[in-house]
C-alpha cells in the first residue's frame, strides 16, 4: 500500500529486476580482464624493463666509472666485487663499500 501511494505502481513491479542475462559470465569477467590488462601494461611490464636495464648497467660497471647511489652519494669505482663495489667518494681517498643494487646511475670515465 505504501509503495502504491509513493510510486503509483504495484509492489511486485518495484521488486522485479532485470531477468535478461545476455552478458553471462563474459559480462562479469570483462571488468577484471580490463583491470588486469591495464595493470600489466602500465605497471608490471615497465617495471620489468627498468629492472632489466638496471641489472645490465650494474653488470657493465668497471674501475674508473663515476656513479651516483640512490642515497645521492657520488663516487668513483675503485674495485668491483660480486655483489658490491668499492667507491672513492672524495679527493682525500675516503672509500665506501656500496651494494650494486644501490647504484642509481653510472656516468663516464674518471678524468684523473
Amino acid at each position: 500500500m505504501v509503495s502504491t501511494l509513493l510510486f503509483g505502481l504495484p509492489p511486485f513491479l518495484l521488486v522485479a529486476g532485470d531477468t535478461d542475462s545476455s552478458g553471462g559470465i563474459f559480462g562479469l569477467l570483462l571488468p577484471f580482464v580490463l583491470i588486469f590488462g591495464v595493470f600489466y601494461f602500465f605497471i608490471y611490464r615497465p617495471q620489468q624493463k627498468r629492472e632489466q636495464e638496471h641489472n645490465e648497467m650494474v653488470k657493465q660497471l668497471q674501475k674508473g666509472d663515476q656513479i651516483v647511489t640512490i642515497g645521492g652519494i657520488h663516487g668513483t669505482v675503485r674495485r668491483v666485487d660480486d655483489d658490491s663495489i668499492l667507491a672513492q667518494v672524495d679527493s682525500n681517498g675516503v672509500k665506501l663499500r656500496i651494494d650494486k643494487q644501490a647504484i642509481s646511475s653510472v656516468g663516464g670515465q674518471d678524468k684523473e
Side-chain angles (χ1 to χ4, degrees):
M1 171 126 177
V2 174
S3 63
T4 305
L5 293 175
L6 292 177
F7 302 108
L9 297 172
F12 66 89
L13 289 179
L14 295 174
V15 177
D18 184 21
T19 58
D20 183 23
S21 61
S22 61
I25 191 133
F26 181 73
L28 292 174
L29 292 179
L30 182 63
F32 293 111
V33 170
L34 291 175
I35 289 170
F36 177 77
V38 167
F39 178 77
Y40 180 78
F41 285 108
F42 290 110
I43 297 173
Y44 184 70
R45 194 166 148 203
Q47 178 63 29
Q48 278 187 325
K49 187 175 180 182
R50 282 190 297 270
E51 187 175 334
Q52 185 178 16
E53 289 171 354
H54 182 266
N55 289 339
E56 187 64 33
M57 174 189 68
V58 169
K59 284 182 188 177
Q60 301 295 327
L61 277 175
Q62 54 187 330
K63 185 176 178 178
D65 284 345
Q66 296 289 322
I67 61 161
V68 179
T69 67
I70 57 176
I73 297 173
H74 294 250
T76 304
V77 175
R78 293 297 171 219
R79 188 171 77 205
V80 179
D81 295 328
D82 290 336
D83 60 349
S84 65
I85 63 160
L86 188 65
Q88 182 175 342
V89 294
D90 69 0
S91 60
N92 294 332
V94 175
K95 295 177 182 168
L96 297 174
R97 176 143 317 273
I98 300 170
D99 188 44
K100 285 183 176 180
Q101 296 304 313
I103 297 171
S104 66
S105 64
V106 177
Q109 294 287 327
D110 193 7
K111 296 181 181 179
E112 290 183 22

